Amino acid sequence: MKLQVINSPFSEEQVKLLNELLPKLTVEQKIWLNGYLSAPQSAEKVIVEESSQTVAPITKEVTILYGSQTGNSQGLAEKYASILKDKDVEVSIASLASFKPNNLKKITNLLLVVSTHGEGEPPDQAMQFYDFLHSKRAPNLEHLHYSVLALGDSSYEFFCKTGQDFDEQFEKLRATRIAPRTDCDLDYDEPAAQWFAAVQQELLRSTETVISSQQGQVDTKRTKSAYSRKNPFYAEVLENLNLNGRGSNKETYHVELAIEGADFHFEPGDSIGIQPENDESLVDALLTALQLNAESKVTVFEESLTLKEALQKKLEITVLSKPLLRKMAAYTTHEDFVALLEDDIAWKDYVKGRDLLDIAGDFAPFSWEAQQFVALLRKIPARLYSIASSQKANSDEVHLTIGKVSFEKNGRERLGVCSGSFTERIQVGDTVPIYVHKNQNFRLPEQEDTPIIMIGAGTGIAPYRAFLEEREELGIEGKAWLFFGDQHFVTDFLYQTDWQRWLVSGTLTKMNVAFSRDTDKKVYVQHKIEENAEVFYEWLEQGAVIYVCGDDKSMATDVDQTLHRIIEQQGQKTAEEAKAFVKELKQQKRYQRDVY
């Protein structure tokens, strides 16, 4: 439709020029022009000076990248991509492992959702992108508008460091923030929704489709189950058996939960999140030590509770962190407490294995009221346990493998919040609040006959039970090799009859075990891998996918070093070539880790 001179404020010459221009504009250009003309700003404000201030992007094309170790970042990225697509935004979404860093030059708007792993390290899939962005090859990104959502755990010293590093590096490369970075703790739903609402407002403010923060939540009509982390399903405990034999140094429990009616959908590699409660006796001791009234009314997460209820059911009291100690310092003049905070080595040594009851015993009194005290504490984080069963084989149940955490410190026995509940208090017939936690980074190969190599120690065996139960149910005949390690053959060979049955049926092709305390020489899974280096490398050449599940600081690190060494020696490669080979395995999803 052409613009007419009649009833318009334009001259005939201006109308002619507009009629020549308008048909040539794209929809995106028209939207931008409409937003610009309607904005209360002078032409001089169009010029954007070099600055770190937030500037509205000028396109409705968005790239969302995620770096995830356990699946949280990926889940959020996919949720936000879906919401934006519903608002007619053109969205591209990818893992940092599959995104080519040079493509940063081709995009205008970037949303990055990334977690921090271990002691401030990027997750596996983000390593290559992280290294590129911090290298001399990183390009000038002055054309790029971006925002970072960082996930982490505030009990670690380097809380959200990966997200912070990305945010600062993008700024150094002259990119412009769409919205400020948000750092999320384990209970990330609300701050993440607020970040996304701010991002949406900037992305869509030139249109009439600005979305409120409430609309940043998932539409429940899209979900297959009404139950989630914020609304857990109360599952009945069907079985709670100690897998370790008499005389073992460990207690590892096989737990079976009834999930009929939950409408859960999960795959091997996923986890179950459990919302635990603190031990009532520990709560009572803490209240006594702090001289606080258990029946005092407090408000926690917009809910009115007694102080005892809040400490037992809602708040974390067993983990000490630097941020928490700093907040506590405002309520004491205790010289030793102040000195502890000022000494980096001393406070790190002090907090290991200690909890709030230790603080109360060592540094009381504190001058807080009950409400001030609870305001310092964070929500009890859910505990994630790898699913040890196939839903195809057990449709109304989910099985878990839970190792009891127990140690002594300063003359007092300490128990894991969740594992202690299952080993000391929870009985068959009780119910526990659970939800499904997806982990797309720990999955069986799409091509079913691909060989798999499964490496785990202790409770790290759990997902492999699910893997093989699934393959058995589907009749998959691909090769499967299991490396398992624990302390003693007689007492600690977890799920021994299952593995033996699968070896006989052919579902499991090979199995090597390492029991570290059965001989004077400690033998671990990495030693068994090295003993079989030639065959191990042959499987790699045949396209095998490697899985590692277990402790990150010792087992997973040792296995990783062994893997590099085998590739270097058997493949006749240099150390750098072996490193590149392993990176390629990760990019191809042929080296997957579920470590903690």
Side-chain angles (χ1 to χ4, degrees), residues 79 187-189 217-220 223-234 262-265 271-275 379 382 384 432-438:
K79 177 173 77 172
D187 193 25
Y188 56 76
D189 294 288
Q217 305 299 320
V218 176
D219 184 347
T220 55
T223 60
K224 295 181 179 179
S225 173
Y227 299 102
S228 64
R229 187 159 67 98
K230 298 189 77 173
N231 179 36
F233 175 77
Y234 279 77
D263 202 19
F264 282 154
H265 299 275
S271 298
I272 288 294
I274 299 178
Q275 300 282 8
K379 186 177 180 180
L384 296 179
V432 291
I434 68 170
Y435 63 93
V436 172
H437 178 89
K438 293 286 186 180

Side-chain angles (χ1 to χ4, degrees), residues 30-284:
K30 289 176 182 176
I31 291 172
W32 184 90
L33 187 60
N34 177 62
Y36 166 67
L37 292 174
S38 63
Q41 58 184 11
S42 64
E44 287 78 13
K45 291 184 181 177
V46 179
I47 300 173
V48 181
E49 297 179 358
E50 291 183 342
S51 169
S52 62
Q53 294 179 343
T54 296
V55 180
I58 59 172
T59 177
K60 286 184 68 181
E61 295 179 1
V62 178
T63 297
I64 302 180
L65 299 178
Y66 58 85
S68 188
Q69 193 73 33
T70 62
N72 289 335
S73 296
Q74 181 173 353
L76 287 173
E78 290 172 347
K79 177 173 77 172
Y80 298 150
S82 177
I83 293 171
L84 289 174
K85 285 176 182 177
D86 285 348
K87 298 302 173 181
D88 298 322
V89 177
E90 188 176 328
V91 181
S92 299
I93 179 171
S95 160
L96 286 171
S98 61
F99 183 79
K100 294 180 180 178
N102 281 326
N103 284 342
L104 284 172
K105 302 173 186 176
K106 303 175 184 178
I107 63 177
T108 305
N109 296 316
L110 171 64
L111 304 182
L112 176 62
V113 186
V114 66
S115 63
T116 294
H117 181 58
E119 298 298 327
E121 301 161 3
D124 289 345
Q125 61 180 214
M127 283 291 243
Q128 190 168 3
F129 185 90
Y130 182 92
D131 291 342
F132 172 85
L133 206 68
H134 288 80
S135 72
K136 294 181 180 179
R137 295 179 294 137
N140 183 309
L141 297 176
E142 59 186 350
H143 69 286
L144 183 70
H145 299 82
Y146 77 98
S147 188
V148 176
L149 179 66
L151 303 187
D153 180 344
S154 64
S155 66
Y156 285 84
E157 181 180 2
F158 301 103
F159 173 57
C160 286
K161 185 177 185 298
T162 298
Q164 293 164 11
D165 288 349
F166 273 123
D167 186 42
E168 292 170 4
Q169 190 62 15
F170 278 125
E171 183 179 30
K172 288 178 183 178
L173 297 172
R174 303 179 70 182
T176 305
R177 290 185 183 89
I178 297 170
R181 183 190 78 248
T182 294
D183 295 341
C184 300
D185 206 346
L186 296 178
D187 193 25
Y188 56 76
D189 294 288
E190 187 174 334
Q194 291 172 352
W195 170 82
F196 185 57
V199 166
Q200 286 180 103
Q201 190 166 359
E202 292 303 320
L203 288 173
L204 306 177
R205 72 178 183 179
S206 63
T207 73
E208 296 180 359
T209 57
V210 177
I211 309 168
S212 69
S213 61
Q214 285 76 18
Q215 290 171 306
Q217 305 299 320
V218 176
D219 184 347
T220 55
K221 292 179 182 177
R222 293 181 190 167
T223 60
K224 295 181 179 179
S225 173
Y227 299 102
S228 64
R229 187 159 67 98
K230 298 189 77 173
N231 179 36
F233 175 77
Y234 279 77
E236 182 182 351
V237 179
L238 301 174
E239 198 68 81
N240 191 12
L241 292 172
N242 185 0
L243 294 173
N244 298 100
R246 183 177 298 177
S248 174
N249 298 318
K250 296 184 172 185
E251 290 182 43
T252 310
Y253 286 77
H254 172 74
V255 177
E256 297 182 3
L257 303 174
I259 57 171
E260 185 178 4
D263 202 19
F264 282 154
H265 299 275
F266 53 83
E267 298 177 53
D270 288 337
S271 298
I272 288 294
I274 299 178
Q275 300 282 8
E277 292 185 5
N278 288 311
D279 183 357
E280 185 177 8
S281 63
L282 177 63
V283 173
D284 289 339

